């Protein structure tokens, strides 16, 4: 790759000062030599200033915390917090449909519907921050508190996941996490409305 | 996982790790501290991604609850902030997909959803230009731009947050820039004007 092209690709991070060592030096040197990249630099610098200066809307963190607080105790009861759960209740036709339908066919349908929102790189090259190279550890799942036992079992079944122990009262479960296409499975699991969190644990290769 | 040079440049996050450990033990005060530390940052990031302030409020609440419930699943091989932003990113995408899916199922025109740009933004003229540029980006591109230009993350860490290869981050930034450049002449003009005023 030419210095020019390489610089163009890395300018954004030269500007936010996260390039170090050789990378920083390479951009710096090329900027001294290339008028096009200097122009680009000036434009991007301007853009980044606008993005960062853009005032955030007024926030009331205290009110948000107060709203959340009652739900911290209710992890295992019916009343729950806004987003996940209210939407869950409002969308009988969509995600419940996906959840209630057995097996892979509908999960496939869902993933097809999701496709326009995906770029192929993200799907094929998907790695997770905690599990990029997890080999044969476990997967920790946190179920939505609205998910019934039947729905949870169905979900585990359709993904071929085997429980290690039982599902806790807070909806936390550990399942065996091995076999092929784990990254794709993980992505698909995370797209399920009945699952709040899916993170591989243990045996993470350095 | 080895720390990169970029990671080393950021202050260590031992304090946040300790808070998270305490959250695992159901320590409310620790959770409250994490909440206040992250609420404004997540709110801004998620609003940028999903564009609707009310939706961002819901999502940030969900993310916070997920942290409370799932603190145990933090594997410790990334920074706490990377883990938390990663959750926010995934929950945001999930909600965006669900909105789209719902629109398909109930035969709602998606355009209606897009047109209902709520009052979350109080746009003055300058921001409107920028917003118009952002509106043309995908949620994933917006995430990359926001994390770079506002949150100040390097591309490697953004890759970890988004769960994608570094090259994908660079590609998204490249395409985003091309689109945003269309609004740049205006931005440039504004900057010059403002520079003159402050002199
Ligand atoms: Zn050049």
């Amino acid at each position: 790759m030419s210095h020019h092209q390489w610089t163009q690709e890395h300018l954004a991070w030269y500007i936010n000062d996260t390039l170090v060592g050789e990378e920083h030096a390479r951009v710096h040197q090329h900027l001294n030599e290339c008028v096009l990249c200097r122009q680009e630099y000036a434009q991007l610098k301007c853009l980044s200033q606008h993005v960062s200066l853009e005032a955030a809307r007024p926030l009331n963190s205290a009110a948000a915390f107060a709203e959340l607080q009652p739900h911290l105790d209710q992890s295992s009861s019916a009343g729950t917090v806004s987003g996940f759960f209210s939407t869950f209740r409002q969308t009988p036709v969509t995600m419940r449909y996906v959840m209630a339908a057995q097996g892979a066919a509908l999960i496939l349908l869902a993933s097809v519907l999701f496709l326009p929102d995906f770029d192929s790189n993200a799907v094929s090259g998907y790695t997770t921050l905690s599990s990029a190279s997890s080999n044969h550890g476990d997967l920790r799942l946190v179920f939505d508190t609205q998910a019934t036992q039947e729905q949870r079992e169905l979900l585990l079944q359709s993904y071929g996941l085997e429980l290690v122990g039982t599902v806790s009262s807070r909806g936390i479960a550990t399942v065996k996490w091995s076999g092929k296409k784990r990254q794709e499975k993980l992505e698909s699991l995370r797209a399920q409305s009945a699952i709040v969190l899916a993170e591989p644990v243990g045996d993470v290769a350095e | 996982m080895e720390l990169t040079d970029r990671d080393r440049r950021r202050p260590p996050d031992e304090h946040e790790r300790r808070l998270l450990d305490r959250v695992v033990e159901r320590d409310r005060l620790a959770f409250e501290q994490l909440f206040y530390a992250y609420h404004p940052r997540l709110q801004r990031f998620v609003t940028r991604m999903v564009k609707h302030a009310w939706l961002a409020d819901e999502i940030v609440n969900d993310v916070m609850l997920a942290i409370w419930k799932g603190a145990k699943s933090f594997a410790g091989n990334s920074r706490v902030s990377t883990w938390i932003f990663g959750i926010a990113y995934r929950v945001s995408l999930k909600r965006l997909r669900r909105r789209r899916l719902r629109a398909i199922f109930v035969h709602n025109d998606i355009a209606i959803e897009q047109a209902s740009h709520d009052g979350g933004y109080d746009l003055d003229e300058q921001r409107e230009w920028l917003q118009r540029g952002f509106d043309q980006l995908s949620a994933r591109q917006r995430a990359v731009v926001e994390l770079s230009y506002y949150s100040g993350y390097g591309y490697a860490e953004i890759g970890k947050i988004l769960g994608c290869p570094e090259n994908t981050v660079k590609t998204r930034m490249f395409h985003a820039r091309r689109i945003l450049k269309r609004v740049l002449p205006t931005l440039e003009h504004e900057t010059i004007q403002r520079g003159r005023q402050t002199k």
Side-chain angles (χ1 to χ4, degrees):
Chain A
M1 191 187 290
S2 72
H3 283 305
H4 177 74
Q5 199 184 338
W6 194 91
T7 299
Q8 292 271 329
E9 273 190 8
H10 290 80
L11 264 182
W13 297 288
Y14 178 80
I15 286 168
N16 80 4
D17 203 26
T18 54
L19 289 186
V20 289
E22 261 177 48
E23 291 186 330
H24 184 274
R26 189 171 174 184
V27 173
H28 192 77
Q29 193 187 339
H30 182 73
L31 281 177
N32 275 319
E33 296 160 357
C34 176
V35 70
L36 284 179
C37 281
R38 280 203 297 278
Q39 277 171 3
E40 182 81 14
Y41 170 83
Q43 283 190 325
L44 280 184
K45 183 96 185 163
C46 165
L47 173 67
S48 95
Q49 278 168 354
H50 273 84
V51 172
S52 60
L53 285 176
E54 197 186 0
R57 70 192 170 95
L59 257 191
N60 191 341
S61 295
F65 188 74
E67 194 188 318
L68 187 67
Q69 221 167 4
H71 303 289
L72 300 180
D73 294 322
Q74 293 178 350
S75 309
S76 53
S77 66
T80 38
V81 80
S82 57
F84 263 119
F85 316 111
S86 60
T87 311
F88 181 85
R89 283 192 294 269
Q90 288 160 16
T91 51
V93 234
T94 58
M95 295 322 271
R96 283 189 188 186
Y97 180 47
V98 172
M99 275 173 48
Q102 293 197 0
L106 270 156
I107 288 163
L108 189 69
L109 166 69
S111 61
V112 168
L113 288 168
F114 294 156
L115 269 179
D117 197 41
F118 267 109
D119 59 53
S120 54
N121 278 338
V123 178
S124 59
Y126 191 83
T127 56
T128 69
L129 41 117
S130 59
S131 68
S133 45
S134 172
N135 283 327
H136 32 72
D138 293 333
L139 181 71
R140 182 141 312 130
L141 295 174
V142 179
F143 284 101
D144 186 313
T145 47
Q146 294 279 297
T148 64
Q149 194 186 344
E150 194 190 357
Q151 287 167 330
R152 294 195 301 227
E153 279 170 7
L154 234 155
L155 205 70
L156 292 175
Q157 220 176 40
S158 60
Y159 281 88
L161 296 172
E162 190 186 335
L163 265 179
V164 180
T166 54
V167 183
S168 81
S169 58
R170 288 203 191 89
I172 302 171
T174 306
V175 295
K176 288 188 182 163
W177 190 233
S178 58
K180 288 176 183 168
K181 299 199 170 176
R182 269 172 296 163
Q183 294 304 339
E184 285 164 44
K185 253 191 194 175
L186 192 62
E187 172 72 8
S188 170
L189 274 167
R190 284 170 172 164
Q192 295 294 332
S193 63
I195 289 173
V196 180
L197 203 68
E199 291 285 341
V201 285
D203 259 3
V204 177
E206 290 295 303
Chain B
M1 187 183 289
E2 209 174 292
L3 285 178
T4 63
D5 284 346
R6 287 168 214 95
D7 291 330
R8 280 191 203 102
R9 297 188 94 195
R10 291 179 166 267
D13 69 341
E14 283 312 313
H15 175 63
E16 292 189 348
R17 280 167 187 259
R18 277 197 297 274
L19 284 180
L20 207 55
D21 284 343
R22 284 166 53 197
V23 171
V24 173
E25 306 300 324
R26 308 284 88 183
D27 183 332
R28 295 260 181 143
L29 272 179
F31 178 70
E32 194 171 346
Q33 281 186 48
L34 265 184
F35 183 96
Y36 280 104
Y38 277 92
H39 187 257
R41 295 156 68 188
L42 289 179
Q43 191 71 37
R44 180 175 163 125
F45 172 62
V46 173
T47 305
R48 177 69 83 201
M49 271 195 76
V50 303
K51 298 198 278 187
H52 299 276
W54 63 268
L55 185 57
D57 287 345
E58 287 190 0
I59 291 172
V60 172
N61 257 7
D62 288 342
V63 172
M64 291 297 182
L65 199 63
I67 293 168
W68 171 251
K69 292 166 80 176
K72 233 190 235 175
S73 65
F74 174 62
N77 56 2
S78 70
R79 302 180 64 84
V80 172
S81 64
T82 308
W83 182 69
I84 290 177
F85 271 91
I87 295 172
Y89 175 73
R90 291 194 300 270
V91 174
S92 300
L93 284 188
K94 190 189 269 194
R95 289 297 297 277
L96 285 174
R97 280 199 296 262
R98 200 181 297 176
R99 280 165 68 78
R100 194 159 305 147
L101 195 62
R102 189 164 66 206
I104 292 167
F105 270 87
V106 298
H107 307 294
N108 261 350
D109 191 352
I110 292 179
I112 294 171
E113 298 222 21
Q114 285 169 344
S116 68
H117 215 294
D118 59 82
Y121 296 118
D122 179 22
L123 298 174
D124 57 36
E125 217 170 296
Q126 181 187 317
R127 289 178 66 192
E128 202 173 308
W129 276 104
L130 192 60
Q131 194 53 50
R132 223 171 277 172
F134 268 103
D135 281 349
Q136 292 172 46
L137 306 182
S138 71
R140 287 173 169 80
Q141 289 168 336
R142 286 198 295 274
V144 171
V145 173
E146 181 71 12
L147 288 172
S148 304
Y149 287 150
Y150 185 75
S151 308
Y153 282 111
Y155 61 81
E157 199 142 12
I158 295 175
K160 288 187 211 166
I161 291 171
L162 272 52
C164 70
E166 291 174 4
N167 276 338
T168 307
V169 175
K170 293 175 190 172
T171 309
R172 284 184 194 161
M173 176 58 97
F174 182 78
H175 291 303
R177 253 168 53 190
R178 275 216 310 221
I179 293 166
L180 288 173
K181 257 178 145 181
R182 290 183 212 141
V183 302
L184 273 172
T186 322
L187 292 177
E188 207 159 33
H189 175 72
E190 296 274 353
T191 308
I192 293 163
Q193 292 297 314
R194 217 178 18 199
R196 280 186 189 141
Q197 280 164 14
T198 53
K199 263 174 199 166

